[in-house]
Amino acid sequence: MKKIIAAVLCVMMLVSALSVSVFAFESDPTNSYEHIYTATFGNEIDGVKQFYFTYIYCNRNRPGESIKYSYLTIGINPEFKEKYPDQVTGVIPEEYLYEDPENEGSYIKQTGDEAIPWNHQGYPVYDVSKDRDYYIGVNQFDLLSEVLVEEGIVSLPAFAFSLSPNLKKAYLADTSITEIPEACFMNTSLEELTVPATLTKIGDRAFASSKLTSYVIPETVTEIGQQAFESTSSLKSVVIPDSVNTIGKYAFRYSAVESLAVPGTLGEVGESAFECMPYLKNVTLGDGITSVGDYAFTNDMSLESIALPEGLTSIGANAFRRCTALNNVTIPASVSEIGVNAFKYCKALGSVAVPNGVEKIEEGAFYGCESLTSVTIPESVTAIDKEAFYGCSSLASVAIPASVSKIASRAFGNCAALESLVIPEGVASVANYLFYGCKSLASVTIPATVTTIGKGAFYGCSAITSIDLPENLVAIGSDCFYECEALESVNLPATLKNIGKYAFCRCYALTSLVVPSADTIIGRYAYGYFYSKNAEGFGVFDVAENTIYAPSGSRAETYAEGIGLAFANN
């Protein structure tokens, strides 16, 4: 009920801000109206209240004619203004809003008035007159089509017209309001809106779920609140002026806007500012934009192109995540930071050149970019974080500069088209699952600086036929070369201390393995096993007719004897 009363009071304020002389009736009011209701309310001195409203309601149903609509005017009571000019604030105080404390049988009270019944003729009501015949049911506000707010009103309540789904026109130009408050026109059918030159802010959810089709934001506005235009499914065009310096989260989420020009004066595209805009195809960021915030354009699945300005320095985490239609983007040379998952699932992106100045390719930056065929990594990059290029299934080659000293787990996992790669000197380990599922990978160069190869690093690399391991290698992780079905030869160095379980399992072409050191530990199922199904259809590991070559008395000999594998002294 509080929201109902607030909505009525807001409408009242809007109407008074515009003179009745510009009231645009659908037909001659002297012939078309059925009821006119008036009331005064608000701050009271000697029985005179500060505000008034006039409500005109038409409900005619005659042969060949059916009319249902209503208009509302809100303003400052002329009598109050004349008697107490110093007391006029133009702001309806919150204490004049009351909720039903318990149930339907109770009353709403408004300061200075008698008790008002909670229901009238089956509808919730608010105070319009002491005459009990002039209560207005909320159902009539469903018909509200126009509101005028007269001169002197300086603010509107939140949710002002959210209960008026048929509201099409609102005239606020004569007011002194600085903000369209929270949810003011939410759920309306607003088509026409005039605002004063004093307006500087569009509040949270101000136009959410309204039926606006286009809107030119006034050049006086500096702030657009969170969800301001959310779910405006008919809004195809919006113009953002240079005056705007703040755009809140989800401001245009689920709107129908198809293109955007973001002014450079904004400075920063804020977090989630343009997230989840399903019809957005083209975006231009103006000169002066220095950063694109986290989730700024996430889930804009129709976005095909975006012009990033010179001077941009950072692209935030998840900034373009799941922009599945984005096929081209040029990252300016000024960019020094590309955030976590920045272009994740940009499935149409064909090429990318990381600018010189970026030091780290962050986690998941290009994860799932299925169409990516070309990547340029500059000398400024020193680290490639985990899953940076995971699932880039069209990427056939990539040159990693000598400056890179760390490549994290799964960085190139499931890059199914990747054929070759050179790991630069300085990298100390081949990370877990680094090349997992790279089924076309036939050639990998591992530098002498590598001392460990992690778990599943080459799991499923079925095209590799041979691999040279560095002389200083001390450990091969579990599942490292699992299902490398074409692998025929591998040289194990004398420094090797541990071969993890399943390391060479299901390497069917690797018929022999030379283990130089007597102290090398070989884990369970590490070598000599192949996978098959038994008569009952269950998967089992069987011992292959392979041979291990190692020093007599070595751990390798013990391993071979333990599983019935052929052994020869090397």
Side-chain angles (χ1 to χ4, degrees):
M1 180 56 113
K2 183 172 182 179
K3 288 185 178 179
I4 293 172
I5 300 173
V8 173
L9 293 179
C10 296
V11 175
M12 296 167 62
M13 297 171 65
L14 288 176
V15 176
S16 66
L18 295 176
S19 64
V20 177
S21 61
V22 299
F23 212 170
F25 290 99
E26 294 184 3
S27 57
D28 183 354
T30 60
N31 294 321
S32 66
Y33 71 81
E34 184 171 294
H35 299 293
I36 296 181
Y37 305 109
T38 62
T40 56
F41 62 96
N43 185 38
E44 180 180 317
I45 300 178
D46 295 332
V48 181
K49 296 182 181 180
Q50 182 174 350
F51 301 100
Y52 82 92
F53 75 85
T54 299
Y55 177 88
I56 299 177
Y57 172 58
C58 175
N59 182 5
R60 293 192 306 174
N61 190 2
R62 301 173 182 174
E65 181 181 32
S66 179
I67 302 175
K68 286 187 178 183
Y69 54 84
S70 58
Y71 304 92
L72 188 65
T73 301
I74 303 172
I76 296 174
N77 187 347
E79 182 182 359
F80 187 97
K81 187 174 183 179
E82 180 180 357
K83 288 185 177 182
Y84 313 107
D86 295 337
Q87 301 293 322
V88 175
T89 64
V91 180
I92 296 178
E94 286 292 328
E95 60 263 29
Y96 287 88
L97 303 180
Y98 292 86
E99 292 186 72
D100 169 32
E102 294 185 9
N103 54 52
E104 212 171 280
S106 59
Y107 292 86
I108 306 169
K109 285 190 176 182
Q110 197 168 2
T111 302
D113 278 353
E114 298 176 12
I116 308 303
W118 181 251
N119 283 276
H120 177 65
Q121 297 179 353
Y123 297 107
V125 298
Y126 59 88
D127 182 19
V128 294
S129 171
K130 292 182 181 180
D131 184 343
R132 290 295 184 266
D133 292 332
Y134 290 92
Y135 295 128
I136 300 178
V138 172
N139 67 318
Q140 293 177 1
F141 274 86
D142 289 346
L143 304 174
L144 187 64
S145 60
E146 295 186 29
V147 293
L148 297 91
V149 184
E150 294 182 347
E151 181 181 0
I153 300 297
V154 298
S155 71
L156 303 174
F159 298 90
F161 306 105
S162 61
L163 296 177
S164 300
N166 295 303
L167 178 64
K168 294 181 178 180
K169 298 180 181 180
Y171 304 96
L172 314 181
D174 292 341
T175 71
S176 300
I177 64 170
T178 59
E179 176 183 358
I180 296 176
E182 180 181 2
C184 184
F185 294 102
M186 185 172 71
N187 298 322
T188 66
S189 298
L190 194 65
E191 296 175 353
E192 183 178 333
L193 173 68
T194 58
V195 296
T198 52
L199 187 69
T200 60
K201 180 179 179 180
I202 297 174
D204 297 349
R205 298 188 291 168
F207 298 98
S209 300
S210 70
K211 295 182 180 178
L212 276 175
T213 58
S214 65
Y215 190 55
V216 178
I217 297 172
E219 294 184 355
T220 56
V221 171
T222 60
E223 181 178 352
I224 299 172
Q226 294 185 24
Q227 302 170 271
F229 295 90
E230 183 178 45
S231 297
T232 46
S233 57
S234 298
L235 183 65
K236 292 186 176 181
S237 173
V238 65
V239 177
I240 303 173
D242 290 345
S243 56
V244 172
N245 55 43
T246 302
I247 298 178
K249 288 183 179 180
Y250 319 123
F252 297 91
R253 183 167 62 174
Y254 306 130
S255 72
V257 174
E258 296 177 351
S259 64
L260 271 177
V262 182
T265 50
L266 187 65
E268 175 184 352
V269 179
E271 181 179 351
S272 299
F274 303 105
E275 179 178 341
C276 293
M277 297 178 66
Y279 301 98
L280 185 64
K281 293 182 178 179
N282 304 295
V283 174
T284 300
L285 301 184
D287 292 338
I289 298 292
T290 58
S291 67
V292 176
D294 297 350
Y295 298 93
F297 296 94
T298 289
N299 289 325
D300 291 349
M301 299 178 75
S302 296
L303 184 63
E304 297 174 353
S305 65
I306 183 165
L308 302 177
E310 289 295 335
L312 185 72
T313 60
S314 66
I315 298 173
N318 298 284
F320 297 97
R321 178 173 178 159
R322 203 171 272 107
C323 292
T324 53
L326 185 63
N327 55 50
N328 181 41
V329 62
T330 300
I331 303 174
S334 52
V335 169
S336 59
E337 180 181 353
I338 299 174
V340 171
N341 300 327
F343 294 93
K344 188 172 186 177
Y345 297 128
C346 290
K347 296 182 178 182
L349 190 62
S351 64
V352 65
V354 178
N356 195 27
V358 173
E359 296 182 356
K360 182 181 181 181
I361 299 179
E362 295 285 355
E363 175 183 346
F366 300 96
Y367 186 113
C369 294
E370 297 175 355
S371 300
L372 194 64
T373 59
S374 174
V375 174
T376 302
I377 302 175
E379 291 287 342
S380 59
V381 172
T382 60
I384 300 174
D385 210 346
K386 64 181 180 179
E387 299 182 336
F389 296 97
Y390 188 93
C392 294
S393 54
S394 298
L395 187 64
S397 65
V398 58
I400 301 177
S403 55
V404 172
S405 59
K406 181 181 179 180
I407 305 174
S409 62
R410 300 178 188 264
F412 296 96
N414 272 332
C415 290
L418 188 64
E419 297 175 353
S420 64
L421 190 135
V422 177
I423 299 174
E425 291 283 342
V427 173
S429 66
V430 177
N432 294 344
Y433 300 102
L434 181 59
F435 300 105
Y436 175 89
C438 294
K439 61 183 180 181
S440 299
L441 188 65
S443 174
V444 176
T445 301
I446 303 175
T449 51
V450 168
T451 58
T452 60
I453 300 178
K455 180 179 181 180
F458 296 93
Y459 192 119
C461 294
S462 55
I464 289 181
T465 58
S466 64
I467 190 163
D468 291 325
L469 301 179
E471 288 299 325
N472 295 317
L473 189 69
V474 297
I476 295 174
S478 59
D479 301 301
C480 185
F481 294 95
Y482 190 95
E483 282 190 349
C484 290
E485 297 175 352
L487 184 63
E488 297 176 350
S489 65
V490 58
N491 65 306
L492 302 180
T495 54
L496 189 63
K497 295 181 179 180
N498 190 284
I499 300 174
K501 61 182 180 179
Y502 300 99
F504 294 96
C505 188
R506 302 183 71 177
C507 294
Y508 301 125
L510 189 62
T511 58
S512 64
L513 187 68
V514 179
V515 184
S517 173
D519 296 324
T520 300
I521 299 172
I522 302 178
R524 186 184 180 198
Y525 297 114
Y527 174 69
Y529 284 91
F530 64 91
Y531 180 83
S532 64
K533 290 186 178 180
N534 61 20
E536 288 77 26
F538 295 104
V540 294
F541 284 106
D542 291 324
V543 178
E545 295 181 1
N546 295 350
T547 303
I548 289 183
Y549 295 87
S552 181
S554 64
R555 292 176 181 267
E557 182 178 9
T558 303
Y559 174 84
E561 292 175 350
I563 65 172
L565 196 66
F567 173 81
N569 188 346
N570 67 346

